[in-house]
Amino acid sequence: MAPVTSLSDSVEQRLASALSATLPEAAGSDPLLRRSDRADFQANGILALAKKAKANPRELATQVVANVTTGDVIGEIEVSGPGFLNVTITDRAITENLAARYADEARLGVPHAAHAGTTVIDYAQPNVAKEMHVGHLRSAVIGDAMVQILEFTGESVVRRHHIGDWGTQFGMLIQFLDEHPHELDHKEKQVSGEEAMSNLDRLYKSARKLFDADEEFKTRARRRVVDLQAGDPHTLATWQKFVDESKIYFFSVFEKLDMEIRDEDIVGESGYNDMLAETCRLLEESGVAVRSEGALCVFFEDVKGPDGNPVPLIVQKSDGGYGYAATDLSAIRDRVFHIKASSLIYVVDARQSLHFKMVFETARRAGWLNEDVKAHQLAFGTVLGKDGKPFKTREGETVKLVDLLDEAVGRATSVVREKAEKVGLTEPEIVENGRYVGIGAVKYADLSTSAVRDYKFDLDQMVSLNGDTSVYLQYAYARIRSILRKAGETRPAAHPELALAPAERALGLHLDQFAETVSEVAAAYEPHKLAAYLYQLASHLTTFYDQCHVLSPDNAPEVVENRLFLVDLTARTLHLGMALLGIRTPEKL
């Protein structure tokens, strides 16, 4: 279906025509339309135009009003204050607009982006042979939401999980496994994610203990690092065992997060090994990087240390080894020239902002990034405990991600079970809904906060039915589904001829903003604004429930049908909006 023109766009078009008719030199000017508590919309653009034309703004506004066509979309328009225009939409226009969105079941009238391209999103970056902790949560949740949102708006999205699968620590692990070859031998038995992590943890501790106590083993382990970097087949095969075991664990964690991670999207540090030497050569030959004390470095005028001396980006160390910068720059080359990406998004901790600023600037100097190919760090803050300090266990250790998710699901299941009998949930439904509510609570708490800000992890608040929580939104959706079931044979239907109550108008006008919100979120990489929109939608719905009874026998049949239509469209919008954030909406709750 064709996208639906929003009410704000329709009003803008009419005001722009009236402006042009009143003041020809104002053709193409922005009326500066926004939502208002004084009317449905307020236009503020006339003040600037009047100043430019040396005209009285209120008189100019009065002339514009005389040229505005009313009756179809615009019901009333009046001049306010020094020259503002207050605009009220007709009830018919609201209902007809929503009916067009309702007819587009898959997209609700949301258009595809006008200039879609190819975006590579780098997110969810765990480390091989290491347990995922709370610090991995935000990259995964924010990245997955942006994948859903961008794909929905028509962008071609390539997912990349830049896992930590390379480095000197693998020499120790590979050598130990070589000397204890059955440590990761499953004997064709299916291994759970928990078992895989237990195997890796046990092996790591044993290898570390031997490495610290046995100098000969330490020497052999360091030799294996050289073999690994040289591409020795046997060493690579042993290294691959650690990667495969880790993937079993990774996939189990992401499954708990209700998130799809595909094997072909996992391209770790090792995936760019063959490009490192060439990356360094290109940077040095172009003069972007220079040798300094034996290391290949890139210098920046605005990056200096406490002593005032320049702090360089080290691409290659003085001993010939490659740093993270070489890998990141090689990844940019691959994504720009092989994948043909037009946008690169890195969902990475804000504490790495300086590193990525230097990497992106280096790539720009090299000509790999330009006006046609942009890179953006979608930086995120820290997960804090209730005390406002970085989230730790009581023993001061980093919180394991699996433990955090299990606790969230357990807490949510208890909340669901309390209401299970009232809504007729079976035990399997209680378990399933407990998972959807628990994981949704964790995701929403993250996504409802601006990514760059820190946020407090408070499970009690997250699973509350009150306030800005995913449970509140899920409950709003389930409540509508219950009303639609109770309606029986009466079906939702739009009736544009009906006058709308204030709460119906407010709900309808907010529903009309969904498409604009999704487009803005996709363009600015700000999923928290979609979460805010959905919370406001649920709040409008609550007011509507209080003021407009849907299935009251006192209502005329067409009023019942129209209100069912309004709540059904609200349910569809909640369902789609939550899905774009990676959150499920149970039918009963």
Side-chain angles (χ1 to χ4, degrees):
M1 289 186 65
V4 178
T5 301
S6 68
L7 291 169
S8 60
D9 280 350
S10 295
V11 172
E12 277 190 357
Q13 292 167 11
R14 284 159 175 76
L15 292 182
S17 295
L19 274 170
S20 181
T22 307
L23 199 66
E25 60 267 34
S29 297
D30 187 349
L32 298 180
L33 194 71
R34 62 180 180 82
R35 289 299 307 276
S36 171
D37 56 3
R38 297 177 180 273
D40 294 333
F41 295 98
Q42 187 174 82
N44 303 334
I46 287 178
L47 275 70
L49 288 172
K51 184 176 181 181
K52 190 175 180 180
K54 294 185 171 60
N56 180 296
R58 190 170 177 88
E59 289 179 4
L60 179 60
T62 303
Q63 293 170 29
V64 170
V65 167
N67 286 316
V68 172
T69 301
T70 59
D72 54 350
V73 173
I74 297 176
E76 297 177 9
I77 181 168
E78 62 177 13
V79 180
S80 173
F84 302 130
L85 298 181
N86 287 340
V87 181
T88 301
I89 308 296
T90 65
D91 290 347
R92 173 176 287 276
I94 293 173
T95 303
E96 287 179 344
N97 174 280
L98 299 183
R101 297 191 183 284
Y102 189 76
D104 183 7
E105 193 165 346
R107 300 190 59 82
L108 303 182
V110 179
H112 284 94
H115 304 288
T118 297
T119 294
V120 175
I121 300 188
D122 189 325
Y123 69 107
Q125 308 107 346
N127 295 308
V128 165
K130 291 185 179 179
E131 189 137 24
M132 292 177 69
H133 53 77
V134 67
H136 291 106
L137 177 66
R138 300 207 73 184
S139 176
V141 170
I142 296 168
D144 184 63
M146 284 313 308
V147 167
Q148 309 305 325
I149 291 165
L150 288 173
E151 286 185 337
F152 182 73
T153 57
E155 188 78 358
S156 176
V157 177
V158 178
R159 312 170 192 204
R160 279 292 176 264
H161 309 298
H162 191 86
I163 64 172
D165 64 351
W166 206 248
T168 57
Q169 75 274 18
F170 284 100
M172 176 186 78
L173 296 171
I174 290 167
Q175 186 60 34
F176 186 86
L177 187 59
D178 248 11
E179 296 176 11
H180 304 79
H182 301 298
E183 283 293 316
L184 293 181
D185 186 359
H186 301 152
K187 299 177 181 177
E188 299 183 5
K189 175 191 169 189
Q190 195 79 12
V191 176
S192 69
E194 187 177 342
E195 290 171 324
M197 191 62 243
S198 178
N199 292 338
L200 291 165
D201 186 55
R202 184 186 68 252
L203 196 151
Y204 182 87
K205 288 177 179 176
S206 299
R208 169 55 68 181
K209 184 177 180 180
L210 188 58
F211 185 87
D212 292 339
D214 188 333
E215 285 299 321
E216 291 185 3
F217 175 78
K218 185 180 291 187
T219 300
R220 295 195 299 274
R222 285 172 174 164
R223 196 178 300 131
R224 296 313 288 271
V225 176
V226 177
D227 293 340
L228 178 64
Q229 292 174 342
D232 173 63
H234 175 71
T235 301
L236 283 173
T238 308
W239 164 82
Q240 188 64 48
K241 290 182 180 180
F242 286 101
V243 175
D244 292 342
E245 193 80 4
S246 297
K247 283 182 179 180
I248 295 171
Y249 164 68
F250 295 159
F251 288 138
S252 71
V253 176
F254 291 123
E255 186 179 2
K256 274 184 186 289
L257 270 170
D258 198 16
M259 195 176 291
E260 182 190 35
I261 300 289
R262 303 175 303 205
D263 192 56
E264 61 267 28
D265 299 330
I266 299 176
V267 183
E269 295 169 10
S270 64
Y272 307 101
N273 283 344
D274 294 342
M275 301 177 66
L276 301 180
E278 186 181 17
T279 295
C280 291
R281 179 181 63 78
L282 291 170
L283 291 172
E284 189 168 12
E285 288 179 355
S286 64
V288 172
V290 296
R291 292 286 169 181
S292 176
E293 299 180 14
L296 186 63
C297 304
V298 182
F299 289 91
F300 310 86
E301 289 185 5
D302 60 341
V303 182
K304 291 182 171 63
D307 57 2
N309 293 324
V311 176
L313 180 71
I314 300 175
V315 185
Q316 187 177 25
K317 302 171 189 175
S318 57
D319 63 2
Y322 301 104
Y324 289 121
T327 304
D328 289 334
L329 288 163
S330 296
I332 288 176
R333 286 179 54 220
D334 177 68
R335 294 165 185 183
V336 172
F337 299 111
H338 178 242
I339 298 176
K340 308 293 185 187
S342 50
S343 299
L344 309 178
I345 304 175
Y346 292 77
V347 188
V348 183
D349 193 315
R351 288 170 290 190
Q352 296 187 46
S353 293
L354 178 59
H355 170 78
F356 279 99
K357 175 186 175 184
M358 295 164 80
V359 166
F360 295 161
E361 177 57 26
T362 298
R364 275 190 285 271
R365 291 180 187 179
W368 306 335
L369 297 176
N370 49 49
E371 287 302 310
D372 298 321
V373 186
K374 301 278 197 309
H376 174 77
Q377 182 194 357
L378 207 175
F380 57 82
T382 304
V383 181
L384 306 175
K386 291 182 183 180
D387 59 2
K389 298 177 181 178
F391 199 28
K392 303 279 186 181
T393 65
R394 289 181 180 177
E395 294 75 29
E397 297 176 358
T398 303
V399 177
K400 296 177 181 178
L401 184 53
V402 169
D403 292 346
L404 180 148
L405 298 177
D406 286 345
E407 185 179 354
V409 170
R411 194 80 64 87
T413 302
S414 297
V415 171
V416 172
R417 194 177 297 279
E418 287 175 7
K419 295 182 174 293
E421 188 175 342
K422 184 178 179 181
V423 294
L425 292 178
T426 63
E427 183 60 29
E429 288 174 328
I430 292 172
V431 172
E432 182 179 69
N433 285 2
R435 181 179 172 224
Y436 292 161
V437 170
I439 298 303
V442 171
K443 288 183 176 182
Y444 187 84
D446 192 315
L447 294 168
S448 60
T449 304
S450 174
V452 76
R453 291 178 53 197
D454 300 339
Y455 79 95
K456 291 183 181 181
F457 193 92
D458 183 349
L459 270 179
D460 292 329
Q461 173 58 29
M462 289 179 186
V463 299
S464 171
L465 285 170
N466 302 309
D468 189 5
T469 67
S470 68
V471 194
Y472 176 62
L473 303 183
Q474 289 168 323
Y475 183 67
Y477 175 80
R479 194 176 184 185
I480 294 172
R481 299 303 299 163
S482 174
I483 288 174
L484 292 170
R485 287 192 294 271
K486 289 176 182 175
E489 297 298 316
T490 306
R491 306 311 305 152
H495 288 276
E497 73 280 3
L498 291 178
L500 298 176
E504 291 175 304
R505 288 179 55 84
L507 180 60
L509 287 167
H510 194 71
L511 284 166
D512 175 62
Q513 290 182 286
F514 179 63
E516 290 178 356
T517 301
V518 171
S519 297
E520 289 171 7
V521 166
Y525 311 135
E526 294 180 326
H528 71 279
K529 290 186 176 178
L530 177 56
Y533 169 87
L534 294 172
Y535 173 63
Q536 291 164 3
L537 178 59
S539 299
H540 279 299
L541 181 69
T542 299
T543 303
F544 169 85
Y545 278 139
D546 292 341
Q547 299 180 9
C548 304
H549 295 170
V550 178
L551 299 178
S552 170
D554 296 332
N555 291 339
E558 59 270 23
V559 171
V560 174
E561 291 173 350
N562 201 62
R563 289 182 176 174
L564 284 173
F565 151 71
L566 276 173
V567 295
D568 194 14
L569 180 56
T570 301
R572 293 184 187 184
T573 305
L574 284 169
H575 176 76
L576 177 54
M578 294 286 269
L580 293 178
L581 295 179
I583 300 173
R584 307 260 188 170
T585 43
E587 294 290 302
K588 296 179 182 179
L589 199 59

